[in-house]
Amino acid sequence: MSQNLPQVDDLDRNVTAILDLVHQESSLKGTDTSAIAASTRKAISPTFEIVFAGAFSAGKSMLINALLERELLYSAEGHATGTECYIAYAPPEAERVVLTFLSEAEIREQANALCANLGWTTPININQAEVLKVVQELCEATIVSEGGESKSEKAKQAKGLSLLLDGFVANRERIHTLNNATYSMEQFNFSNLQEAASFARRGSNSAVLKRIEYYCHHPLLKDGNVLIDTPGIDAPVQKDAELTYKKIEHPDTSAVICVLKAASAGEMSKEETVLLERMRDNPGIRDRVFYVFNRIDDTWYNTQLRQRLEQLISSQFQDAARVYKTSGLLGFYGSQIEDTNVENRFGLNSIFAEQVGSNIEEETPQFVNEFVRYCANSGKLSPSQFKISVHSYESPNANYVRILSEQGLLLIKQLISDSGIEEFRQGITHYLTQEKRPALFANLADDLQPVCISLRNYYLTKIRDLDSQPHEIEGMKAKELERLNQELHQIAEDFREHLTKEINQIVTNDCERFENDFRHLQARTIRKLDELLDTFSVAQAYRRATLSHRRNATAPLIAVLVEALYYLANELEDVLVECCKTVVANLFQRLRETVSKSEYYRHIYRLVGNDAGIAEQLESAEKQVLHALISVARIECDRFVRESPRFYDEGTFSIYQFRQTLQQTSQSYDCESMVEAEPAIRQLLKLDFEPKVSETIRRNFRQTMNQTLKTHLLPLAESQADLILQQYAQARAHLETNLEVEASRKIADNQKAQLEIQEKIGIYNQAIDAINSCLQLMNLGDRFLPTIDDVEFKRQVFETKRNGDLLQ
C-alpha cells in the first residue's frame, strides 16, 4: 500500500542526500553507513522475499500449501530435490507458472550422489535404459527391505532416486544436456494454474525441476510478498544445500521462516544450527525470523519428545518473538476437507482419489492414518465433547469416514486448531499486512538516528565556531596575533610527531618503500658475492702474491687465500656503500616530500614566510646518516678479511675441504697445480664468506641502520621543534605585514563557510522532513529524526555571543 505514495518514492533520494552530507565532512567520513543502505533497500524494495529454509522432509512445502490454503507444491516424505519455488502475486486472470528444468548433467550428478549415499559407488549412465531398469529394481528392493518408502532415511533416498530417474525418462525431450530449459504454462497447453501445479506437484516431475515460479492470486502475496521454498540444508547433493545457504545470505532476502525438525527428532541437527548462525550474519534479515517447529503431532504420542522440545524452546528460543508449533500435514488437509461430505467420503473420492487408487483394495493416504491416530491416541480431544471410537476391525479409511460422519465439522475445526496452522497463518498474515512496512521503516529510522544526530551536532558546532570568529578586520587581526603562539606550538608538535612516526614505521618494518629498498640492498649484496665467487681467478691471485715477494718464484695456498679474502671483502664493501647511498637518498627524498605536503609545513610558510629551516635540517641529517652508515658498512666488510672462528674447527666440512685443497696444491711448486685447484679454492671461499655476509645483511646491518636513524633523526625532531617555537618574533612581523589581506580573506572564508553550512542545513532539513513524513504515514512518530530549526540555530548563535561577552 505504501509503495505508491510519493513520500516513499522519494525515500531513497532523501536518504542518499543525508549520506552525501555525511561523506562531505572529513570528520564524519569514517561513519559506517552500510546498515542504512541495507535498511533503505528493504524499505523501498518492491518485493519482500520470505525464504522457507530447513532440512529436507521438515515440511516446508506443506507449510506453504497450508499458508496459501492451496496445494501448489509437491510434498512427500523423503523427497529431496534441489528445486527452488518462487510464489508471487498475480491478479486472478493472470495466474501462471514458469517451469525451469534441471540439465542432464545436474540430474546425473544428483543420481550419482544418491547412489553413493545408498552404497552403490559405480557411476550410472542415465541414458542407458537397461541401467535405469537395474537401478529402479534396486530402489524398489531397498524400499521393500526397509519396510516402506518413509520408514528409514535409506528408503527415503531410494524413493528420491526412483522419482528422479522416472522424471528424467518422462521429461527427456524437455531436458537439455547442459543448459536449464525454461517453459511457460502455455507451452505445456495448461489452461490454468491448477493444471500446471498438478504437473509440477507430481513427484517424478518435481524431481527434475530446478525452479518453479508461481504467480497466483492470494491476499498474502500482495504488497510484493514472495514466498520461496528452498532445497533442504541437508540435501544429498551438496550444491543444493549450498543453494539454500546462499539464499539465506543474499541481500534480497528479507525474512526467513526456519522450519525445524526438533519436534520429531528431539533436538536440533548440526545443519539446523549452522543455518541459524549463517542467517544471523545477513543484516538484511535482522529480527524478521519465524521459527516453526513442524510435526508437533509427534510429541502428542511421545512424552519424552514433548519434554525435550519444551526444554529446547525455553533454553534457546525464549527471546524469540515468533515461535510456532505446527503440524503442516493435519493443518493443510484439515482445511481442505472442510468443504467435503459423506457423499465423497470426506475427500477420499476427490482430494485423495489419486492416493487411494482405483484398485479394490484401497491405499490409505498418509493424512488419513494420522487423522485416525489423532482421534485414538493424541489426547487432544475432550472425551466429554468428542465421543470417538476407533475400531480395529475397520480399515483406516472406513474409520475415517465413520468418525467424520459422526463428529462432523466440529472435529475438523478442532483438528485444524490443534495443528497450530491457524495461529501460524494469522501470525504471518498479521506481520505481512500490518507490521512489515512499519517495521522496515522503524529499522531505517533506528539506523539513521545516530548518523543524523552526529550530522546535526557537527553543523551546530561548526556554526558556533564560525560565529565566534571576528567579523571586522581589526578584530580578526587581533585574534590571529593572539593565536600565533598557539599555532607555532601546534606546528612544532605536528613536525615532531610526524618525524617520530616515520622513524617508528621504519624500525617496526612497517614502511613498505623502505623495506623494498633494504630488500634490494640484501639481494644486490648476495648477487655480488655469488658473482665474485663464480668469477674469482686463482691465477690472478697467484700473480698478485708472487709480485708481493720478488725473491720467490712460487707462492703457498695461504698466500692465494689471503689475496682472495682482501679482494672479496673490498669488492663487497663497494657494493654495500653504494646501496647505502641509495637507501638513504630514497628515505630522505620521501621525508622531504611528505613534510612539504603536510598541513603544518604550509602553515609555517604562511606564518613565517619560509620553512623555519626544516629543509636545511633534513639535508644536514641526510649527510650525517649517510656518513654514519658508510662507516658501519666499511667496518662490517673489513671484518670479512678475517676467517670466521669456526672455519678451522675440527670435524667441520671447511677444515676437511682446506686439507683436501692443501694436499692437491702441494703436488708441485708451479702455478699450474694451484690453478687446477681453483674449484676447491672457490668452495673454501664460499664456505667462509656466505655465513659472514649473511650475518651482516640479514641480522646486524638492519639493526645498525635502525639505530643510526633513531640516533640522528629523533634529536633532529626535537631541535627543529624548538627552532619553530623560536620563530615567534619573525612570525609576528611577517604576519603583521600580511594580516590586512589575511584577515579580509579569512572573514570572507568564514562568511562563505557559514553560507555553505546554512545551505547544507537546508538540504538536511528538507531530507529529514521528507523522511519524517514517511514515518508519520507508518504511525512512527516516536521515531522522528531530528531537524535543525531556526530557534535552535539562533540559540546557538546567542550562546556563542554571550560566552564571548563573558570572556571579555
Side-chain angles (χ1 to χ4, degrees):
M1 49 111 176
S2 56
Q3 291 298 304
N4 297 324
L5 297 173
Q7 294 93 331
V8 177
D9 291 341
D10 289 339
L11 182 63
D12 187 34
R13 181 173 58 80
N14 289 312
V15 172
T16 302
I18 296 295
L19 297 184
D20 286 345
L21 290 174
V22 171
H23 295 148
Q24 287 172 21
E25 309 304 337
S26 57
S27 62
L28 300 177
K29 278 187 177 174
T31 305
D32 183 6
T33 57
S34 57
I36 297 174
S39 53
T40 305
R41 278 199 304 274
K42 293 299 173 193
I44 65 173
S45 174
T47 60
F48 186 83
E49 294 193 350
I50 308 138
V51 174
F52 283 68
F56 85 91
S57 293
K60 302 184 294 296
S61 302
M62 186 63 80
L63 278 174
I64 292 176
N65 288 339
L67 204 55
L68 300 177
E69 299 175 279
R70 194 171 184 179
E71 191 167 18
L72 287 178
L73 307 184
Y74 178 75
S75 178
E77 281 274 336
H79 183 53
T81 74
T83 310
E84 266 189 309
C85 295
Y86 284 68
I87 307 172
Y89 178 77
E93 68 281 4
E95 287 193 330
R96 67 188 191 280
V97 177
V98 177
L99 303 173
T100 302
F101 281 85
L102 292 167
S103 69
E104 182 185 325
E106 290 169 330
I107 292 172
R108 188 186 308 115
E109 183 184 1
Q110 281 197 18
N112 284 322
L114 288 167
C115 284
N117 291 343
L118 291 165
W120 309 332
T121 55
T122 305
I124 62 173
N125 185 342
I126 58 176
N127 285 311
Q128 291 184 348
E130 60 275 19
V131 172
L132 296 186
K133 182 180 178 185
V134 171
V135 175
Q136 288 285 26
E137 289 173 354
L138 286 170
C139 289
E140 185 61 32
T142 301
I143 293 169
V144 171
S145 67
E146 294 292 319
E149 62 186 48
S150 61
K151 295 297 182 183
S152 71
E153 289 299 315
K154 191 174 182 180
K156 292 174 184 176
Q157 298 212 0
K159 180 62 178 176
L161 177 58
S162 177
L163 289 172
L164 181 68
L165 298 180
D166 280 347
F168 175 66
V169 173
N171 296 281
R172 186 68 188 90
E173 293 182 353
R174 303 184 179 106
I175 294 170
H176 295 179
T177 306
L178 297 175
N179 299 324
N180 299 117
T182 297
Y183 299 90
S184 66
M185 200 166 74
E186 291 73 19
Q187 288 174 283
F188 279 81
N189 294 320
F190 297 138
S191 59
N192 55 50
L193 185 70
Q194 283 67 29
E195 290 181 15
S198 177
F199 170 85
R201 210 171 50 243
R202 204 167 300 147
S204 55
N205 295 333
S206 175
V208 292
L209 286 170
K210 184 182 184 72
R211 180 181 170 113
I212 309 172
E213 296 164 53
Y214 288 102
Y215 298 88
C216 59
H217 181 69
H218 192 284
L220 194 67
L221 301 172
K222 284 186 174 179
D223 196 22
N225 297 325
V226 179
L227 305 184
I228 300 171
D229 189 19
T230 57
I233 52 177
D234 52 353
V237 179
Q238 183 63 26
K239 191 170 64 175
D240 294 339
E242 278 303 318
L243 193 67
T244 298
Y245 286 126
K246 285 180 182 174
K247 192 62 195 167
I248 289 298
E249 295 167 334
H250 197 279
D252 286 348
T253 297
S254 301
V256 175
I257 296 178
C258 285
V259 185
L260 304 168
K261 292 174 72 175
S264 58
E267 60 185 3
M268 297 264 290
S269 70
K270 175 185 170 187
E271 290 81 3
E272 288 174 333
T273 304
V274 172
L275 171 68
L276 299 188
E277 289 175 355
R278 293 179 69 163
M279 189 174 58
R280 292 189 188 105
D281 292 337
N282 186 346
I285 296 176
R286 301 175 78 132
D287 64 342
R288 296 184 285 275
V289 181
F290 297 76
Y291 299 98
V292 181
F293 293 92
N294 198 31
R295 301 193 173 184
I296 189 65
D297 44 322
D298 284 349
T299 66
W300 298 343
Y301 315 110
N302 188 319
T303 304
Q304 191 176 9
L305 270 182
R306 186 163 62 247
Q307 291 173 345
R308 291 173 69 178
L309 178 63
E310 294 303 325
Q311 186 178 8
L312 175 70
I313 293 175
S314 63
S315 61
Q316 297 188 33
F317 297 89
Q318 59 178 342
D319 296 329
R322 304 180 184 93
V323 176
Y324 300 91
K325 293 181 281 190
T326 63
S327 170
L329 179 74
L330 295 178
F332 172 64
Y333 285 113
S335 65
Q336 294 295 296
I337 64 172
E338 278 187 295
D339 297 328
T340 60
N341 51 47
V342 70
E343 278 74 25
N344 57 31
R345 297 197 302 156
F346 297 98
L348 287 177
N349 295 342
S350 53
I351 299 168
F352 306 109
E354 192 174 337
Q355 298 176 48
V356 170
S358 56
N359 297 328
I360 296 175
E361 188 174 344
E362 292 183 335
E363 297 290 334
T364 304
Q366 186 186 359
F367 168 72
V368 172
N369 274 326
E370 294 302 324
F371 174 84
V372 174
R373 193 180 179 204
Y374 164 77
C375 293
N377 303 317
S378 70
K380 307 293 288 185
L381 300 173
S382 167
S384 61
Q385 189 175 6
F386 297 100
K387 301 186 183 307
I388 298 174
S389 299
V390 177
H391 299 154
S392 59
Y393 55 81
E394 287 182 337
S395 69
N397 288 356
N399 269 301
Y400 168 76
V401 174
R402 179 180 54 76
I403 292 170
L404 282 177
S405 300
E406 294 169 356
Q407 303 298 327
L409 191 59
L410 189 62
L411 176 59
I412 296 175
K413 291 194 175 297
Q414 184 63 45
L415 173 73
I416 296 172
S417 174
D418 289 336
S419 74
I421 285 297
E422 280 295 334
E423 184 183 352
F424 173 59
R425 185 186 296 122
Q426 288 170 6
I428 293 281
T429 303
H430 187 265
Y431 178 79
L432 293 178
T433 58
Q434 304 297 321
E435 299 178 37
K436 181 185 76 174
R437 287 293 166 193
L440 292 173
F441 278 77
N443 289 152
L444 175 60
D446 291 345
D447 292 337
L448 275 171
Q449 184 84 10
V451 171
C452 290
I453 289 174
S454 296
L455 198 57
R456 174 180 170 280
N457 291 343
Y458 172 80
Y459 286 150
L460 291 176
T461 302
K462 194 74 179 175
I463 289 169
R464 189 168 57 247
D465 290 345
L466 289 171
D467 204 66
S468 67
Q469 302 296 317
H471 297 273
E472 304 297 331
I473 291 179
E474 289 304 317
M476 179 62 76
K477 286 166 65 176
K479 184 87 174 178
E480 288 296 305
L481 289 173
E482 282 177 14
R483 291 174 49 190
L484 181 56
N485 195 44
Q486 180 186 350
E487 287 179 289
L488 287 173
H489 270 89
Q490 187 61 51
I491 292 169
E493 180 57 31
D494 288 348
F495 176 78
R496 183 190 296 113
E497 186 179 336
H498 177 199
L499 213 57
T500 303
K501 183 179 176 183
E502 292 280 351
I503 299 305
N504 196 50
Q505 282 184 331
I506 292 172
V507 171
T508 56
N509 302 348
D510 203 26
C511 178
E512 186 60 32
R513 295 171 70 181
F514 187 85
E515 292 304 308
N516 288 336
D517 286 342
F518 191 75
R519 282 193 287 270
H520 178 72
L521 176 148
Q522 291 177 313
R524 193 173 170 198
T525 306
I526 291 172
R527 282 201 307 273
K528 184 64 178 178
L529 175 61
D530 292 339
E531 177 189 327
L532 291 171
L533 291 172
D534 291 342
T535 59
F536 174 70
S537 169
V538 169
Q540 290 180 9
Y542 189 88
R543 279 196 291 276
R544 287 196 295 271
T546 52
L547 279 174
S548 300
H549 301 279
R550 295 179 180 277
R551 293 177 58 185
N552 303 103
T554 188
L557 172 62
I558 292 296
V560 172
L561 291 177
V562 166
E563 292 296 332
L565 291 170
Y566 279 115
Y567 171 71
L568 294 181
N570 292 338
E571 291 289 325
L572 287 172
E573 178 187 316
D574 292 345
V575 171
L576 196 54
V577 167
E578 189 179 342
C579 288
C580 283
K581 290 179 181 175
T582 302
V583 170
V584 172
N586 289 345
L587 167 62
F588 277 88
Q589 180 61 29
R590 287 197 298 276
L591 280 179
R592 278 190 283 270
E593 288 176 3
T594 56
V595 167
S596 64
K597 291 178 181 175
S598 67
E599 184 62 31
Y600 66 77
Y601 192 78
R602 287 191 289 273
H603 204 172
I604 191 67
Y605 245 102
R606 185 181 72 81
L607 294 179
V608 184
N610 56 55
D611 68 351
I614 292 177
E616 187 179 346
Q617 286 273 31
L618 287 176
E619 185 177 349
S620 173
E622 181 178 0
K623 292 176 182 175
Q624 294 172 22
V625 169
L626 180 59
H627 177 74
L629 287 180
I630 287 176
S631 297
V632 173
R634 285 176 173 157
I635 292 170
E636 284 286 330
C637 293
D638 191 49
R639 291 170 180 161
F640 294 163
V641 174
R642 298 288 292 271
E643 306 92 326
S644 63
R646 293 182 299 277
F647 187 76
Y648 297 112
D649 282 353
E650 284 296 336
T652 60
F653 182 71
S654 56
I655 192 62
Y656 169 80
Q657 181 71 15
F658 179 75
R659 287 171 178 162
Q660 292 295 313
T661 307
L662 184 60
Q663 189 173 15
Q664 184 180 357
T665 57
S666 62
Q667 297 300 315
S668 66
Y669 296 101
D670 59 0
C671 178
E672 187 176 352
S673 63
M674 196 66 76
V675 173
E676 288 176 351
E678 188 170 77
I681 292 172
R682 285 178 177 168
Q683 182 64 27
L684 264 177
L685 293 171
K686 186 174 183 179
L687 289 171
D688 181 48
F689 263 80
E690 281 190 343
K692 290 189 297 191
V693 173
S694 178
E695 179 79 5
T696 292
I697 64 169
R698 296 192 193 284
R699 295 181 59 183
N700 300 342
F701 202 64
R702 179 56 190 270
Q703 194 274 333
T704 302
M705 188 173 276
N706 289 345
Q707 186 59 38
T708 303
L709 292 174
K710 289 190 78 168
T711 302
H712 288 82
L713 291 181
L714 292 184
L716 180 147
E718 295 295 333
S719 65
Q720 182 61 44
D722 291 341
L723 196 60
I724 290 171
L725 292 177
Q726 294 169 20
Q727 303 297 310
Y728 180 80
Q730 184 178 345
R732 184 181 177 89
H734 177 76
L735 202 57
E736 282 178 337
T737 60
N738 299 291
L739 214 48
E740 186 81 17
V741 177
E742 180 84 6
S744 298
R745 182 191 60 77
K746 201 145 191 173
I747 289 172
D749 287 348
N750 286 348
Q751 290 172 344
K752 182 182 177 185
Q754 281 181 318
L755 289 174
E756 287 176 352
I757 291 292
Q758 287 172 9
E759 186 180 343
K760 288 178 179 178
I761 289 174
I763 296 171
Y764 171 86
N765 279 339
Q766 189 176 6
I768 294 298
D769 284 342
I771 295 171
N772 282 344
S773 71
C774 292
L775 298 176
Q776 179 73 53
L777 287 172
M778 302 295 162
N779 295 320
L780 293 170
D782 59 332
R783 281 184 163 84
F784 273 6
L785 300 170
T787 56
I788 306 172
D789 55 34
D790 287 342
V791 174
E792 192 165 19
F793 181 87
K794 289 173 182 174
R795 184 175 60 79
Q796 288 287 330
V797 173
F798 171 75
E799 287 184 358
T800 303
K801 288 181 177 176
R802 186 185 64 176
N803 292 336
D805 293 341
L806 289 174
L807 287 173
Q808 290 173 1

